[in-house]
Amino acid sequence: MKTKESYHLQNPTWCKGCGLFGIFDALKRAAAALEIEPEDMVIVTGIGCHGRLNNYFNAYGFHGLHGRALPVATGIKLANPRLQVVAVSGDGDAYSIGLGHFVHALRKNVGLTYIVSDNRVYALTQGQVSPTTEFGTVTLSTPLGSKDFPIDGPSLALAAGGTYIARGFSGEVALLASLIERGMRHDGFALIDILSPCVTHNKVNSYNWYRQHIVHVEEIPGYSPKDKAKAWEALNDPEKIAVGLIYEEDKPSFEGLVLPDRDKSVAALDLKVDIARLDKIIDTFR
Ligand SMILES: Cc1ncc(C[n+]2csc(CCOP(=O)(O)OP(=O)(O)O)c2C)c(N)n1
Ligand code: SF4
């Protein structure tokens, strides 16, 4: 039987109190609940404080380039669809430099679990403004207050055709673990955006601040994660940040559509190159 300790490889070196500890714990709990063998799981990370997570987790890991976790994870999933592929990004990694990959992975419905540690700041580089930083916030790069209006990952995901959209909070690990576990079971792309305090560089969005600002969607009368209009309404509440399983729908996954056999790798595809045909095409340019 697996426990969360089965996936604990090293003690993290994040700052004391960092929200990433809650994410690490929740991911270990989700993997244990699903009894995943460490060799059947891959964690792909971007660059940022979140990017160290794969070093601490007992599974395969790939520490990629900034904003490029999703294309790497997509390649791994297609090469071996039997693997449980989890990509981990920060809000900068996912919603700034990686935004194009985010939207296209969503619309393709690639079978990945995407964990976004949203601390509303570029943390590793010492606290610059990020795409989710609130308007007016003073950061290292916005000494006069940010003049940019923030974007919201789950709202973007809903607009881009996301089939599993959840938001968790690092301060509520049990709920977060269940959202990640359900996302890992989902056949298709699963976004778990996580409100995750950076206790060092973001003194505004603290654990207490989030506790005062979140609403759990299951407490909204008549809420259904199958109802897109209700999801949109919850995400656009100007007073409260919706947390929980926001939206879920069934749609064929990308690998289910392109691979002839999901129990085999992409090598099962007949991808032989027809050299004569290639030569003919090249000849037209000579
Ligand atoms: C192509 C590229 N541009 C910029 C950087 C510098 N850089 C490293 S991490 C980072 C932002 C980190 O913020 P986020 O993705 O939110 O992760 P966090 O540190 O908050 O977990 C930046 C801009 C880089 N490594 N590569
Ligand atoms: S700088 Fe912020 S995000 Fe990075 S480890 Fe410290 S508290 Fe966590």
Side-chain angles (χ1 to χ4, degrees), residues 20 47-51 65-66 68 89-94 97 117 119-125 128 130 198:
L20 283 159
I47 303 286
C49 293
H50 64 275
L65 294 174
H66 191 35
R68 303 292 178 255
S89 284
D91 40 298
D93 205 66
I97 190 170
S117 162
N119 53 25
R120 301 186 171 198
V121 76
Y122 283 9
L124 185 75
T125 44
Q128 294 86 354
S130 96
C198 168

Side-chain angles (χ1 to χ4, degrees), residues 13-21 48-50 52 117 119 121-127 196-202:
T13 58
W14 295 309
C15 311
K16 269 194 188 136
C18 176
L20 283 159
F21 282 99
C49 293
H50 64 275
R52 298 195 214 124
S117 162
N119 53 25
V121 76
Y122 283 9
L124 185 75
T125 44
Q126 306 298 294
S196 182
C198 168
V199 294
T200 302
H201 298 298
N202 184 340

